[in-house]
Amino acid sequence: MSLLTSTQGTPERTLSLLQILAAHDGRLPRGELLAWLDPALGRDVSEVGNSTAAENTLGSASSLDFAKPSGGHYVLEANLDVRDLDHFADMTHQRLLTLPEDKADSVVLRAFAYFVARTEQAKSTGWLHSATNKIVADGINKAFPERANTGAEGRIFNESKMPPFWRWVGLVGLAVNLPGGGFHPYVAPRLARELAQSSLPRGEEIPIRDVLDVVAERMPYMDGGRLFAVAAEKVGLPAQTRAISPILSTALRDLHEEGLLTLGSRADAAGLVALADDRYSRTKAVQFVTLRAQAADA
């Protein structure tokens, strides 16, 4: 199973499973673990632990290798920080970044790279909200090579995977669930955490190019990253050298408004990079970024 086929193995349920294991010295028999996830609550004992949600949650945890089967038990990966959802989000993001392409879950961040590239191509997210899940899934499949182990269908993504996809990218800070509007790509939470955890200096002006290089390395599905480059080529997006994509531009502007960083420029145009058009923002281009001290705690 994978994150996108374990449709009821939500991030919150998966974290609960890992916390249950952590509370039992990192090891429980499979049946006992499933019973913790699906308690009796007045039902016949024979029905306990048989729910699809419990099985899917086990599938999500094992798909990411956070918990593995061993001799009839499930064993928690050593040294996992499962204290809360924020730490779970960080370790999930890092795990997704390191997955080889032949792992089913590698499609999560590659699919997100498609959203970033396609939004840059369209110059807005309007295309996403006017498209059906099938149209979006077809675009993702065209943007990336098919896996050999997808069976007869030969597809790495289909429309039924959209709901769990959004839940997991939402967990790691790449999407927000808008009231009445569904999920929307929004990377400010993850960008804040990645900049805070980077080696970039605080309290001094950093050339925007240096910041973009760090973003491309730590968030390779964004501008200039290796996953973005593949998606951009597949959708026919020309190389951008002096402009920042709409999704990244929104995140930078929002972090500027929140005071986590400052976007700046001077009269000379050396090193100036344009932000995506936003009629509501007075910040049209950026030359340097200053990370505020409080960004270290983001």
Side-chain angles (χ1 to χ4, degrees):
M1 300 183 79
S2 72
L3 294 179
L4 304 188
T5 57
S6 301
T7 54
Q8 295 186 51
T10 65
E12 294 79 9
R13 286 172 176 162
T14 304
L15 174 59
S16 294
L17 182 153
L18 301 180
Q19 291 174 332
I20 290 167
L21 283 174
H24 292 83
D25 298 322
R27 186 182 183 92
L28 273 175
R30 184 180 189 279
E32 188 174 338
L33 178 57
L34 287 173
W36 272 96
L37 294 171
D38 182 32
L41 298 178
R43 292 175 297 153
D44 187 275
V45 174
S46 64
E47 299 176 357
V48 175
N50 292 326
S51 77
T52 300
E55 290 284 356
N56 279 191
T57 303
L58 196 54
S60 295
S62 57
S63 180
L64 288 168
D65 291 331
F66 289 150
K68 295 182 179 180
S70 176
H73 290 65
Y74 265 81
V75 180
L76 183 69
E77 181 180 323
N79 302 317
L80 286 185
D81 188 342
V82 297
R83 75 182 100 160
D84 56 36
L85 207 57
D86 284 342
H87 288 84
F88 180 54
D90 281 347
M91 68 185 192
T92 299
H93 182 256
Q94 186 58 37
R95 183 58 50 89
L96 290 172
L97 285 175
T98 58
L99 291 177
E101 287 191 6
D102 61 352
K103 288 279 287 186
D105 290 334
S106 71
V107 73
V108 175
L109 295 185
R110 289 191 288 154
F112 192 80
Y114 169 81
F115 283 101
V116 179
R118 182 69 182 84
T119 298
E120 167 62 16
Q121 185 181 52
K123 302 303 180 186
S124 79
T125 55
W127 70 274
L128 174 59
H129 298 293
S130 63
T132 64
N133 283 347
K134 184 179 187 307
I135 289 174
V136 174
D138 287 347
I140 293 170
N141 278 291
K142 290 178 182 177
F144 294 98
E146 297 172 350
R147 294 201 329 274
N149 61 342
T150 51
E153 185 187 19
R155 294 165 61 89
I156 65 169
F157 208 93
N158 59 53
E159 57 191 297
S160 68
K161 295 179 180 180
M162 291 299 298
F165 165 80
W166 284 119
R167 284 197 293 268
W168 284 98
V169 296
L171 166 75
V172 301
L174 300 178
V176 61
N177 195 0
L178 299 173
F183 279 97
H184 181 82
Y186 184 67
V187 304
R190 177 48 47 189
L191 178 63
R193 295 183 72 82
E194 293 303 318
L195 291 177
Q197 295 168 14
S198 75
S199 59
L200 289 170
R202 270 62 177 176
E204 62 184 72
E205 294 177 357
I206 310 166
I208 182 60
R209 290 293 178 192
D210 292 352
V211 175
L212 293 176
D213 286 345
V214 168
V215 172
E217 179 181 358
R218 298 182 68 95
M219 302 170 68
Y221 39 83
M222 298 305 300
D223 307 36
R226 57 182 175 82
L227 300 180
F228 174 84
V230 174
E233 180 181 5
K234 293 294 185 179
V235 302
L237 180 65
Q240 298 288 329
T241 57
R242 296 184 65 82
I244 298 174
S245 71
I247 291 177
L248 184 54
S249 292
T250 296
L252 288 169
R253 284 180 169 122
D254 283 1
L255 295 183
H256 173 82
E257 291 295 327
E258 292 171 17
L260 293 179
L261 55 80
T262 301
L263 304 177
S265 62
R266 297 193 185 86
D268 71 88
L272 198 65
V273 178
L275 294 166
D277 183 55
D278 184 340
R279 61 179 176 170
Y280 299 107
S281 175
R282 293 185 297 176
T283 307
K284 305 300 182 184
V286 58
Q287 193 175 31
F288 56 84
V289 175
T290 303
L291 300 182
R292 301 282 178 86
Q294 60 263 39
D297 299 323

